[in-house]
Amino acid sequence: MKLKKAAGAAADILMYVIMLVQMLYAFTGNTLHELLGIAFFICLAVHIVMKRGWVKGLLKGGKRSGGRRFFDAVTVLLFVCILVLMISSMGVSRMIFPWFPYLGSADLHRYLATAVLTLAVIHGGMHGFLRTQHKKRAAFLIILGAAASVAVGTALVPYLSRHFKTVSIDYEAAVRGEQITSSGRTLAVYFTRVGNTDFAPDVDAVSGASLLLADGRLTGNTALLADMVADAIHCDVQAITLTGEQYPSRYGDTVSVAGKELRENARPAIEPVDISGYDEVILIYPIWWGTVPMPVASFLEQNEWNGKKLRLIATQGSSGFVSSTADIQRMADGAEVTELVSIYCDDIPHARPQITDCLRRLYQ
Ligand SMILES: Cc1cc2nc3c(=O)[nH]c(=O)nc-3n(C[C@H](O)[C@H](O)[C@H](O)COP(=O)(O)O)c2cc1C
């Protein structure tokens, strides 16, 4: 009996530890993340078996205090979120469930994980709340824990990913994939920090997720996506390149400079990109401050868009297209603007299937 209780408690503690480690995906990498995911669900099964008495009681119904009803509601919601998280985990798994349809929903997966961690904090805290005399203190600690968990999932995780992770990729494996037949003459245009930034010599040590080491060579996320598009449909590719001042080497400084450019509605000087010989432009850009980087605005306003098709691929650290689509439509007057896909920065090295899917949908 004692051993059973100890096993149950160990499984519970392990689940909380696993949830926290899972949030450090930027450091643990995909293999450990997927294996720990399996370990979590095994611990959950143990937990449910240990608590089957509670499940029976819940199904039976009967009179319950307000606190008890809240606890039950949180627990049921937690269970539902875990089930949906399980499906979303399989939908983004690349190692253990490669046969499961790739849902490409990393954002949803992260938000679900945040919801599960938050509800688990409340669920665990409620055990204490129902037993203690110090209800106010317990309620305060639960709210504090839940707020911290929401902050971890929505702010800290993307921050860590963006600032501290250096990603090495196998260029050929990342870029090569299914061929798609396109229609018309297409130009892929991208803007990225690489080529537009005054990088310090030790950039490899300080680079964030927005920079990739492709076979030892520094490349930008959007440059990699442009290569994926070009591999899929054999189109031309052009970069938007600054002719004047470059962005600073440090990510945080670039964020400040870009914020100032946006406030001033600046149009940084760029090399001309001529789109006149094309029917369609696939524009690949990072979301900066909820919209396009200002050099992209320069590119859009320097061209004549009447009758052209403008397809958008955005990369981002948490948001989708935000206001970039409406801003682009305004700046590329006369273009037929279509959103293709918005890709979370962590997913870019593995985004070839997403690129294939959206191009297939576009041209079929
Ligand atoms: C100046 C700056 C501003 C950013 N603003 C946002 C933002 O508002 N929303 C968001 O989700 N990501 C934001 N990010 C994260 C980038 O969108 C992400 O790093 C990018 O898509 C990766 O591509 P890159 O190689 O061009 O940096 C910002 C990044 C920078 C450098």
Side-chain angles (χ1 to χ4, degrees), residues 168-172 213-217:
S168 294
I169 55 164
D170 174 342
Y171 178 85
E172 287 293 315
L213 282 177
D215 301 342
R217 178 175 47 87

Side-chain angles (χ1 to χ4, degrees), residues 43 46 93 114 178 200 273:
C43 289
V46 172
S93 163
T114 305
E178 192 182 318
V273 178

Side-chain angles (χ1 to χ4, degrees), residues 162 191-193 210-211 220-222 251 254-255 258 286-290 315-319 345 348:
R162 253 185 264 152
F191 174 78
T192 197
R193 288 175 66 212
S210 63
L211 308 174
N221 272 319
T222 47
Y251 188 91
T254 300
V255 172
I287 293 289
W288 280 13
W289 289 100
T315 65
Q316 33 83 17
S318 62
S319 39
C345 51
I348 294 165

